[in-house]
Amino acid sequence: MNTRIRSSLIGGLFGFAIALISGGFAGILAGLVAGLINGFSVPQAEPLNNRAGAVRQGLVASLIASVLTILGIVIRSVLIDPVIGTPLNITSLLISIIGALILGIPVCVIMCVIRTEPPARERIGLAIVIGIVLVTYPWLDQFLNLRFMNEVIPVLVFILMALGLNIVVGYAGLLDLGYAAFFAIGAYAAGMVSSPHFGISWSFWLAIWVAAAVAALFGLILGSPTLPLRGDYLAIVTLGFGEIVPIAIKNLDKVTINIWNYPLLVDFDFTGGTKGINPINRPWLPVIGEFSPSTPIPWYFLILGIMLISIFFISRLRNSRLGRAWTALREDELAAGAMGINTVNVKLLAFAIGATVSGLAGAFYGSYISAIFPESFRFDVSVMLLCMVILGGLGNMSGVILGGIIIQFADRLFLPQFSTVVQKLIVASGNESLREVNFASDFRLLLFGLTLVLMMILRPQGLVPSGRAARVMPPVKVEVPHD
Amino acid sequence: MTNILETRGVTKQFGGLTAVNDVNFNVRQGSITSLIGPNGAGKTTFFNMITGLYVPTAGSIVFSGRSLVGLKPHDVTAAGIGRTFQNIRLFANMTAVENVMVGMHTRMRAGVLGILANVVGVRREEADSRQKAHELLDYVGLDASRADDVSKNLPYGDQRRLEIARALATDPQLLLLDEPTAGMNPQETAELTQLIRRIRDERGITILLIEHDMKLVMDISEAITVLDRGTKIAEGLPSDIRSNEQVIEAYLGRGAAAMAQKQTQQGGA
Ligand SMILES: Nc1ncnc2c1ncn2[C@@H]1O[C@H](COP(=O)(O)OP(=O)(O)OP(=O)(O)O)[C@@H](O)[C@H]1O
Ligand SMILES: [Mg+2]
């Protein structure tokens, strides 16, 4: 199949699925998403010669994608909504379709044009488009009455963590299955110094640094016993740490230490046990005041800011002496040592810096939900993060972000909504036996596992492979001599 | 002349197998010295002990007056010994330039905080290293258009050259080359011989070479040491080694030396 058609089909299918599952005005968002994905993939499929060609190609591509998206909107409103109890509303159907076209087509065309620019300008263009989408999203969400914001924020937290895990697994090649432990450690460290738990009630802006430092320290502590281990052995030991940390947190609520019969600590409540730590201070800023749980917009920009700053610094590391040492370590540990790299130091730095990122995420998350419990940081978090990293492409930040978006949205929005729709359809059809099946929670882990296995078989390098290989064919610019 | 490398009684046992047995060995500063011997003689094992990949079971290794025994590979590299591998061990998914820049790791100073703050020193060091890496690629004869190719996509001969460039990037005083011409055609071998000579003559780097190509070895070496089943059986000038009975026997089997002798006599008569 023609790669051009295939890439617009991919964009279209995303639009179709979002429109079909989410209903309401989400169809408009679906158009936007389809346009974005479309514009990302089209010119990569084939080099373009000029701007007019790019516009034409963008129009053709968005035509295919729009047809699919509209199909999704129509099926949802005409066939599904009436069955599950929402009567067909022609006005909102039309608004959805027009909205999807208005957002989707220009975005796709603009993306196509940007992607034919020379690399430096292309990067700036992409940053501007992505920036506009990110900054305007909260208001789009409000305007379209989508109510996705409360899910978007945890999605960003998880993507931030995946970026940290990517340092360890993607850059340095150390398969860490217990990475969620550092999330927990960061969240607890921040919680302990900014809550009534110990009576230390520092501000969030201070606590987040404590979290980063404590997580980094634990990165070193938990990393050091694994230094001689490779591959499977490393994975098993880190898996163990990932299990031990939440269990330890759960049980450190009655610590008694006697030194020579002198009771140093008696039933000291270190972590709050199963009750966790609650409430944790929320950030405070001059104009905004204290962040409130009912207004998600400040939280959204806070986590977005933490994420962008992290990406900025991680890419500095990536393109440095240290980043090269990580890659060399991943490629051939023995040769890396023989070329002068102190493999012990470099591994520990990967663990520590990866843990720091997770610590930041933990501090934010604890403050955002204003409470933390040992149960929030179990193995499935680590596995999900690993899925995000592998799906997108080991060692490539844009790939990891894409993988994160796909997995997280599937997990938090798509599956639950899918499940609700199916449930309602089942109820409407009067089939009693399937009533108890909950598609969201029952199939979650199965889907992660399936994603991992399928990716390993079909595309081990991930959706966006790392390095220069991603851009095999640079767009060709033809200079037309005018005479 | 002084010895840059001296080993005394170096031995390596793997379980019951003695791969290297009580070897005393000197490399003169500024020389091109070769280490030869049949397959499995222990040559690579010997290299691995010098570079810290294996710890000798017994014996001492002294480089420029400093003991190397017990040092980690990266310390040995920092001390001034660079090496290549018999089976190419490039960083397969890194570009040619990046491979060479990894070689400069010990000679660079950038630390985590400096990198995060992107201080002037780090930026300058990064730019200088990149520049130097390109020069090294040029020096070993890798085409400039290949510099940003991922190393696994390079032709075989270029990969061998790239390994040498990467070893040179560690800024060594002593360069260990483990069968650098293995798998090369005669023309590539001739070019590589030239390169090895230039590295010594122009950069003053002492060279210790493991090689199976006898023509190359006899051509280029100023001293040769022969290992057989872990033991040193001969050392000397190429002309000495060429006619050494024990060496011929080690390579061709028992009785071969006598036959070779007879042939020379008959040829002479
Ligand atoms: N790590 C190891 N463990 C066990 N035995 C080893 C190890 N490394 C080498 N040997 C053995 O030591 C002996 C010497 O091997 P070595 O690789 O040093 O020979 P070589 O002279 O380099 O041979 P070649 O010319 O084939 O490269 C061989 O019998 C080999 O099987
Ligand atoms: Mg060998």
Side-chain angles (χ1 to χ4, degrees), chain A residues 372-412:
Chain A
I372 32 174
F373 312 99
E375 290 306 317
S376 328
F377 313 101
R378 295 313 292 260
F379 178 58
D380 56 341
V381 175
S382 297
V383 172
M384 183 152 70
L385 290 171
L386 203 61
C387 272
M388 292 160 64
V389 172
I390 289 174
L391 177 69
L394 276 172
N396 180 335
M397 281 207 277
S398 31
V400 170
I401 293 171
L402 181 70
I405 291 174
I406 293 175
I407 296 235
Q408 280 290 307
F409 277 108
D411 187 40
R412 289 172 184 275

mmCIF file of all heavy atoms in Angstrom, chain A residues 372-412:
data_model
loop_
_atom_site.group_PDB
_atom_site.id
_atom_site.type_symbol
_atom_site.label_atom_id
_atom_site.label_comp_id
_atom_site.label_asym_id
_atom_site.label_seq_id
_atom_site.Cartn_x
_atom_site.Cartn_y
_atom_site.Cartn_z
ATOM 1 N N ILE A 372 -1.050 10.282 49.793
ATOM 2 C CA ILE A 372 -0.372 9.164 49.134
ATOM 3 C C ILE A 372 -0.544 7.901 49.957
ATOM 4 O O ILE A 372 -0.586 7.946 51.192
ATOM 5 C CB ILE A 372 1.144 9.422 48.936
ATOM 6 C CG1 ILE A 372 1.676 10.286 50.073
ATOM 7 C CG2 ILE A 372 1.415 10.040 47.594
ATOM 8 C CD1 ILE A 372 3.148 10.452 50.014
ATOM 9 N N PHE A 373 -0.651 6.792 49.250
ATOM 10 C CA PHE A 373 -0.815 5.490 49.892
ATOM 11 C C PHE A 373 0.185 4.520 49.275
ATOM 12 O O PHE A 373 0.518 4.662 48.096
ATOM 13 C CB PHE A 373 -2.233 4.959 49.653
ATOM 14 C CG PHE A 373 -3.287 5.979 49.933
ATOM 15 C CD1 PHE A 373 -3.864 6.708 48.893
ATOM 16 C CD2 PHE A 373 -3.692 6.230 51.241
ATOM 17 C CE1 PHE A 373 -4.821 7.668 49.150
ATOM 18 C CE2 PHE A 373 -4.647 7.192 51.496
ATOM 19 C CZ PHE A 373 -5.223 7.913 50.460
ATOM 20 N N PRO A 374 0.618 3.536 50.069
ATOM 21 C CA PRO A 374 1.607 2.604 49.526
ATOM 22 C C PRO A 374 1.095 1.862 48.293
ATOM 23 O O PRO A 374 1.875 1.454 47.445
ATOM 24 C CB PRO A 374 1.876 1.626 50.680
ATOM 25 C CG PRO A 374 1.042 2.047 51.818
ATOM 26 C CD PRO A 374 0.288 3.265 51.463
ATOM 27 N N GLU A 375 -0.217 1.730 48.188
ATOM 28 C CA GLU A 375 -0.755 0.920 47.093
ATOM 29 C C GLU A 375 -0.648 1.594 45.726
ATOM 30 O O GLU A 375 -0.849 0.965 44.699
ATOM 31 C CB GLU A 375 -2.229 0.585 47.365
ATOM 32 C CG GLU A 375 -2.428 -0.389 48.505
ATOM 33 C CD GLU A 375 -1.629 -1.677 48.317
ATOM 34 O OE1 GLU A 375 -1.612 -2.209 47.195
ATOM 35 O OE2 GLU A 375 -0.997 -2.127 49.294
ATOM 36 N N SER A 376 -0.349 2.918 45.725
ATOM 37 C CA SER A 376 -0.359 3.620 44.431
ATOM 38 C C SER A 376 0.855 3.315 43.572
ATOM 39 O O SER A 376 0.949 3.792 42.455
ATOM 40 C CB SER A 376 -0.406 5.128 44.652
ATOM 41 O OG SER A 376 -1.118 5.438 45.799
ATOM 42 N N PHE A 377 1.808 2.565 44.091
ATOM 43 C CA PHE A 377 3.089 2.481 43.383
ATOM 44 C C PHE A 377 3.511 1.047 43.118
ATOM 45 O O PHE A 377 4.652 0.674 43.306
ATOM 46 C CB PHE A 377 4.171 3.186 44.197
ATOM 47 C CG PHE A 377 3.737 4.530 44.690
ATOM 48 C CD1 PHE A 377 3.318 4.699 45.990
ATOM 49 C CD2 PHE A 377 3.732 5.614 43.831
ATOM 50 C CE1 PHE A 377 2.905 5.945 46.433
ATOM 51 C CE2 PHE A 377 3.326 6.853 44.271
ATOM 52 C CZ PHE A 377 2.907 7.023 45.573
ATOM 53 N N ARG A 378 2.571 0.225 42.728
ATOM 54 C CA ARG A 378 2.903 -1.190 42.606
ATOM 55 C C ARG A 378 3.515 -1.501 41.247
ATOM 56 O O ARG A 378 3.756 -0.637 40.422
ATOM 57 C CB ARG A 378 1.650 -2.060 42.834
ATOM 58 C CG ARG A 378 1.111 -1.954 44.233
ATOM 59 C CD ARG A 378 2.200 -2.082 45.286
ATOM 60 N NE ARG A 378 2.772 -3.419 45.339
ATOM 61 C CZ ARG A 378 2.445 -4.340 46.224
ATOM 62 N NH1 ARG A 378 1.552 -4.088 47.148
ATOM 63 N NH2 ARG A 378 3.014 -5.512 46.214
ATOM 64 N N PHE A 379 3.741 -2.807 41.087
ATOM 65 C CA PHE A 379 4.413 -3.323 39.900
ATOM 66 C C PHE A 379 3.768 -2.869 38.598
ATOM 67 O O PHE A 379 4.445 -2.546 37.635
ATOM 68 C CB PHE A 379 4.418 -4.845 39.994
ATOM 69 C CG PHE A 379 5.031 -5.524 38.826
ATOM 70 C CD1 PHE A 379 6.337 -5.248 38.458
ATOM 71 C CD2 PHE A 379 4.306 -6.452 38.092
ATOM 72 C CE1 PHE A 379 6.916 -5.882 37.381
ATOM 73 C CE2 PHE A 379 4.886 -7.086 37.012
ATOM 74 C CZ PHE A 379 6.183 -6.801 36.657
ATOM 75 N N ASP A 380 2.427 -2.814 38.573
ATOM 76 C CA ASP A 380 1.790 -2.491 37.288
ATOM 77 C C ASP A 380 2.158 -1.083 36.818
ATOM 78 O O ASP A 380 2.172 -0.815 35.623
ATOM 79 C CB ASP A 380 0.272 -2.702 37.326
ATOM 80 C CG ASP A 380 -0.378 -1.914 38.444
ATOM 81 O OD1 ASP A 380 0.344 -1.522 39.370
ATOM 82 O OD2 ASP A 380 -1.590 -1.691 38.382
ATOM 83 N N VAL A 381 2.503 -0.196 37.762
ATOM 84 C CA VAL A 381 2.964 1.132 37.337
ATOM 85 C C VAL A 381 4.286 1.008 36.579
ATOM 86 O O VAL A 381 4.461 1.561 35.497
ATOM 87 C CB VAL A 381 3.140 2.067 38.555
ATOM 88 C CG1 VAL A 381 3.724 3.396 38.125
ATOM 89 C CG2 VAL A 381 1.814 2.264 39.265
ATOM 90 N N SER A 382 5.195 0.214 37.134
ATOM 91 C CA SER A 382 6.475 0.004 36.461
ATOM 92 C C SER A 382 6.277 -0.611 35.078
ATOM 93 O O SER A 382 6.914 -0.217 34.111
ATOM 94 C CB SER A 382 7.376 -0.924 37.283
ATOM 95 O OG SER A 382 7.691 -0.333 38.514
ATOM 96 N N VAL A 383 5.381 -1.577 35.009
ATOM 97 C CA VAL A 383 5.170 -2.255 33.731
ATOM 98 C C VAL A 383 4.564 -1.298 32.717
ATOM 99 O O VAL A 383 4.979 -1.253 31.557
ATOM 100 C CB VAL A 383 4.242 -3.477 33.914
ATOM 101 C CG1 VAL A 383 3.864 -4.058 32.572
ATOM 102 C CG2 VAL A 383 4.938 -4.520 34.758
ATOM 103 N N MET A 384 3.614 -0.494 33.194
ATOM 104 C CA MET A 384 2.992 0.444 32.274
ATOM 105 C C MET A 384 4.027 1.436 31.745
ATOM 106 O O MET A 384 4.064 1.732 30.549
ATOM 107 C CB MET A 384 1.863 1.186 32.984
ATOM 108 C CG MET A 384 1.121 2.119 32.090
ATOM 109 S SD MET A 384 -0.543 2.328 32.640
ATOM 110 C CE MET A 384 -0.266 3.243 34.113
ATOM 111 N N LEU A 385 4.909 1.895 32.623
ATOM 112 C CA LEU A 385 5.941 2.838 32.189
ATOM 113 C C LEU A 385 6.853 2.188 31.151
ATOM 114 O O LEU A 385 7.213 2.793 30.139
ATOM 115 C CB LEU A 385 6.775 3.299 33.387
ATOM 116 C CG LEU A 385 6.032 4.198 34.368
ATOM 117 C CD1 LEU A 385 6.861 4.418 35.612
ATOM 118 C CD2 LEU A 385 5.698 5.522 33.703
ATOM 119 N N LEU A 386 7.185 0.950 31.398
ATOM 120 C CA LEU A 386 8.048 0.242 30.460
ATOM 121 C C LEU A 386 7.350 0.096 29.109
ATOM 122 O O LEU A 386 7.962 0.264 28.056
ATOM 123 C CB LEU A 386 8.391 -1.130 31.037
ATOM 124 C CG LEU A 386 9.653 -1.764 30.501
ATOM 125 C CD1 LEU A 386 10.840 -0.891 30.824
ATOM 126 C CD2 LEU A 386 9.840 -3.151 31.087
ATOM 127 N N CYS A 387 6.057 -0.185 29.155
ATOM 128 C CA CYS A 387 5.268 -0.269 27.918
ATOM 129 C C CYS A 387 5.362 1.038 27.146
ATOM 130 O O CYS A 387 5.542 1.042 25.928
ATOM 131 C CB CYS A 387 3.794 -0.482 28.240
ATOM 132 S SG CYS A 387 3.340 -2.170 28.407
ATOM 133 N N MET A 388 5.227 2.149 27.869
ATOM 134 C CA MET A 388 5.241 3.452 27.209
ATOM 135 C C MET A 388 6.579 3.670 26.517
ATOM 136 O O MET A 388 6.643 4.135 25.381
ATOM 137 C CB MET A 388 4.995 4.559 28.244
ATOM 138 C CG MET A 388 3.586 4.521 28.817
ATOM 139 S SD MET A 388 3.387 5.386 30.400
ATOM 140 C CE MET A 388 3.725 7.052 29.942
ATOM 141 N N VAL A 389 7.658 3.311 27.219
ATOM 142 C CA VAL A 389 8.992 3.525 26.673
ATOM 143 C C VAL A 389 9.225 2.637 25.447
ATOM 144 O O VAL A 389 9.744 3.084 24.423
ATOM 145 C CB VAL A 389 10.062 3.257 27.755
ATOM 146 C CG1 VAL A 389 11.443 3.296 27.155
ATOM 147 C CG2 VAL A 389 9.945 4.282 28.858
ATOM 148 N N ILE A 390 8.805 1.395 25.543
ATOM 149 C CA ILE A 390 9.074 0.462 24.453
ATOM 150 C C ILE A 390 8.180 0.732 23.251
ATOM 151 O O ILE A 390 8.623 0.688 22.112
ATOM 152 C CB ILE A 390 8.923 -0.987 24.949
ATOM 153 C CG1 ILE A 390 10.093 -1.305 25.871
ATOM 154 C CG2 ILE A 390 8.861 -1.965 23.793
ATOM 155 C CD1 ILE A 390 10.010 -2.640 26.536
ATOM 156 N N LEU A 391 6.906 1.056 23.522
ATOM 157 C CA LEU A 391 5.991 1.335 22.414
ATOM 158 C C LEU A 391 6.505 2.498 21.572
ATOM 159 O O LEU A 391 6.548 2.432 20.345
ATOM 160 C CB LEU A 391 4.596 1.658 22.958
ATOM 161 C CG LEU A 391 3.561 2.045 21.901
ATOM 162 C CD1 LEU A 391 3.221 0.832 21.054
ATOM 163 C CD2 LEU A 391 2.300 2.605 22.528
ATOM 164 N N GLY A 392 6.926 3.557 22.245
ATOM 165 C CA GLY A 392 7.349 4.744 21.503
ATOM 166 C C GLY A 392 8.695 4.564 20.838
ATOM 167 O O GLY A 392 8.907 5.019 19.730
ATOM 168 N N GLY A 393 9.599 3.922 21.498
ATOM 169 C CA GLY A 393 10.934 3.753 20.929
ATOM 170 C C GLY A 393 11.990 4.018 21.976
ATOM 171 O O GLY A 393 12.178 5.152 22.389
ATOM 172 N N LEU A 394 12.668 2.966 22.405
ATOM 173 C CA LEU A 394 13.704 3.085 23.436
ATOM 174 C C LEU A 394 14.713 4.154 23.060
ATOM 175 O O LEU A 394 15.221 4.168 21.954
ATOM 176 C CB LEU A 394 14.458 1.754 23.541
ATOM 177 C CG LEU A 394 13.848 0.670 24.405
ATOM 178 C CD1 LEU A 394 14.627 -0.612 24.235
ATOM 179 C CD2 LEU A 394 13.843 1.099 25.850
ATOM 180 N N GLY A 395 14.990 5.030 24.017
ATOM 181 C CA GLY A 395 16.079 5.972 23.810
ATOM 182 C C GLY A 395 15.714 7.202 23.008
ATOM 183 O O GLY A 395 16.571 7.979 22.660
ATOM 184 N N ASN A 396 14.438 7.384 22.694
ATOM 185 C CA ASN A 396 14.051 8.551 21.916
ATOM 186 C C ASN A 396 12.931 9.285 22.634
ATOM 187 O O ASN A 396 11.835 8.753 22.792
ATOM 188 C CB ASN A 396 13.589 8.089 20.543
ATOM 189 C CG ASN A 396 13.184 9.244 19.678
ATOM 190 O OD1 ASN A 396 12.808 10.317 20.174
ATOM 191 N ND2 ASN A 396 13.251 9.054 18.401
ATOM 192 N N MET A 397 13.201 10.535 23.035
ATOM 193 C CA MET A 397 12.221 11.219 23.884
ATOM 194 C C MET A 397 10.896 11.453 23.170
ATOM 195 O O MET A 397 9.841 11.270 23.771
ATOM 196 C CB MET A 397 12.794 12.521 24.417
ATOM 197 C CG MET A 397 13.725 12.264 25.579
ATOM 198 S SD MET A 397 13.824 13.656 26.688
ATOM 199 C CE MET A 397 15.016 14.630 25.840
ATOM 200 N N SER A 398 10.922 11.854 21.891
ATOM 201 C CA SER A 398 9.623 12.098 21.255
ATOM 202 C C SER A 398 8.853 10.794 21.116
ATOM 203 O O SER A 398 7.625 10.773 21.248
ATOM 204 C CB SER A 398 9.772 12.801 19.905
ATOM 205 O OG SER A 398 10.960 12.448 19.284
ATOM 206 N N GLY A 399 9.578 9.701 20.872
ATOM 207 C CA GLY A 399 8.920 8.400 20.820
ATOM 208 C C GLY A 399 8.291 8.042 22.151
ATOM 209 O O GLY A 399 7.142 7.601 22.216
ATOM 210 N N VAL A 400 9.042 8.270 23.227
ATOM 211 C CA VAL A 400 8.532 7.927 24.556
ATOM 212 C C VAL A 400 7.288 8.752 24.874
ATOM 213 O O VAL A 400 6.310 8.237 25.426
ATOM 214 C CB VAL A 400 9.623 8.160 25.618
ATOM 215 C CG1 VAL A 400 9.054 8.045 27.015
ATOM 216 C CG2 VAL A 400 10.748 7.159 25.429
ATOM 217 N N ILE A 401 7.305 10.026 24.494
ATOM 218 C CA ILE A 401 6.137 10.871 24.752
ATOM 219 C C ILE A 401 4.937 10.347 23.973
ATOM 220 O O ILE A 401 3.836 10.205 24.513
ATOM 221 C CB ILE A 401 6.437 12.336 24.384
ATOM 222 C CG1 ILE A 401 7.499 12.879 25.345
ATOM 223 C CG2 ILE A 401 5.181 13.180 24.446
ATOM 224 C CD1 ILE A 401 8.040 14.228 24.969
ATOM 225 N N LEU A 402 5.167 9.996 22.708
ATOM 226 C CA LEU A 402 4.076 9.455 21.888
ATOM 227 C C LEU A 402 3.542 8.160 22.496
ATOM 228 O O LEU A 402 2.331 7.980 22.655
ATOM 229 C CB LEU A 402 4.571 9.222 20.461
ATOM 230 C CG LEU A 402 3.522 8.694 19.502
ATOM 231 C CD1 LEU A 402 2.495 9.772 19.220
ATOM 232 C CD2 LEU A 402 4.148 8.222 18.195
ATOM 233 N N GLY A 403 4.470 7.258 22.843
ATOM 234 C CA GLY A 403 4.066 5.996 23.463
ATOM 235 C C GLY A 403 3.277 6.258 24.738
ATOM 236 O O GLY A 403 2.264 5.609 25.008
ATOM 237 N N GLY A 404 3.749 7.242 25.500
ATOM 238 C CA GLY A 404 3.072 7.579 26.745
ATOM 239 C C GLY A 404 1.669 8.087 26.501
ATOM 240 O O GLY A 404 0.725 7.677 27.173
ATOM 241 N N ILE A 405 1.533 8.964 25.517
ATOM 242 C CA ILE A 405 0.212 9.505 25.214
ATOM 243 C C ILE A 405 -0.732 8.378 24.823
ATOM 244 O O ILE A 405 -1.850 8.269 25.328
ATOM 245 C CB ILE A 405 0.307 10.559 24.085
ATOM 246 C CG1 ILE A 405 1.033 11.799 24.605
ATOM 247 C CG2 ILE A 405 -1.069 10.924 23.569
ATOM 248 C CD1 ILE A 405 1.316 12.840 23.549
ATOM 249 N N ILE A 406 -0.265 7.506 23.940
ATOM 250 C CA ILE A 406 -1.139 6.432 23.454
ATOM 251 C C ILE A 406 -1.557 5.516 24.601
ATOM 252 O O ILE A 406 -2.746 5.280 24.833
ATOM 253 C CB ILE A 406 -0.436 5.625 22.342
ATOM 254 C CG1 ILE A 406 -0.241 6.505 21.105
ATOM 255 C CG2 ILE A 406 -1.260 4.386 21.987
ATOM 256 C CD1 ILE A 406 0.538 5.838 20.007
ATOM 257 N N ILE A 407 -0.570 5.017 25.357
ATOM 258 C CA ILE A 407 -0.891 4.055 26.416
ATOM 259 C C ILE A 407 -1.732 4.705 27.511
ATOM 260 O O ILE A 407 -2.720 4.145 27.981
ATOM 261 C CB ILE A 407 0.402 3.484 27.034
ATOM 262 C CG1 ILE A 407 1.135 2.693 25.958
ATOM 263 C CG2 ILE A 407 0.097 2.659 28.273
ATOM 264 C CD1 ILE A 407 1.460 1.296 26.280
ATOM 265 N N GLN A 408 -1.340 5.911 27.911
ATOM 266 C CA GLN A 408 -2.042 6.549 29.008
ATOM 267 C C GLN A 408 -3.475 6.911 28.630
ATOM 268 O O GLN A 408 -4.394 6.697 29.413
ATOM 269 C CB GLN A 408 -1.291 7.806 29.439
ATOM 270 C CG GLN A 408 -0.119 7.497 30.326
ATOM 271 C CD GLN A 408 -0.600 7.015 31.680
ATOM 272 O OE1 GLN A 408 -1.397 7.655 32.344
ATOM 273 N NE2 GLN A 408 -0.137 5.843 32.084
ATOM 274 N N PHE A 409 -3.647 7.442 27.434
ATOM 275 C CA PHE A 409 -5.015 7.794 27.040
ATOM 276 C C PHE A 409 -5.847 6.545 26.856
ATOM 277 O O PHE A 409 -7.024 6.516 27.201
ATOM 278 C CB PHE A 409 -5.022 8.694 25.812
ATOM 279 C CG PHE A 409 -4.800 10.129 26.163
ATOM 280 C CD1 PHE A 409 -3.612 10.754 25.862
ATOM 281 C CD2 PHE A 409 -5.777 10.842 26.843
ATOM 282 C CE1 PHE A 409 -3.401 12.073 26.223
ATOM 283 C CE2 PHE A 409 -5.578 12.156 27.218
ATOM 284 C CZ PHE A 409 -4.383 12.779 26.903
ATOM 285 N N ALA A 410 -5.215 5.503 26.328
ATOM 286 C CA ALA A 410 -5.948 4.251 26.198
ATOM 287 C C ALA A 410 -6.396 3.783 27.572
ATOM 288 O O ALA A 410 -7.540 3.382 27.774
ATOM 289 C CB ALA A 410 -5.071 3.197 25.543
ATOM 290 N N ASP A 411 -5.478 3.869 28.534
ATOM 291 C CA ASP A 411 -5.763 3.331 29.859
ATOM 292 C C ASP A 411 -6.765 4.176 30.628
ATOM 293 O O ASP A 411 -7.653 3.662 31.294
ATOM 294 C CB ASP A 411 -4.443 3.244 30.639
ATOM 295 C CG ASP A 411 -4.628 2.536 31.966
ATOM 296 O OD1 ASP A 411 -5.380 1.545 31.981
ATOM 297 O OD2 ASP A 411 -4.051 2.984 32.963
ATOM 298 N N ARG A 412 -6.647 5.502 30.533
ATOM 299 C CA ARG A 412 -7.442 6.369 31.399
ATOM 300 C C ARG A 412 -8.734 6.867 30.771
ATOM 301 O O ARG A 412 -9.697 7.133 31.468
ATOM 302 C CB ARG A 412 -6.621 7.587 31.811
ATOM 303 C CG ARG A 412 -5.548 7.219 32.753
ATOM 304 C CD ARG A 412 -4.629 8.369 33.022
ATOM 305 N NE ARG A 412 -3.574 7.893 33.869
ATOM 306 C CZ ARG A 412 -3.671 7.835 35.191
ATOM 307 N NH1 ARG A 412 -4.751 8.267 35.799
ATOM 308 N NH2 ARG A 412 -2.682 7.357 35.898
#
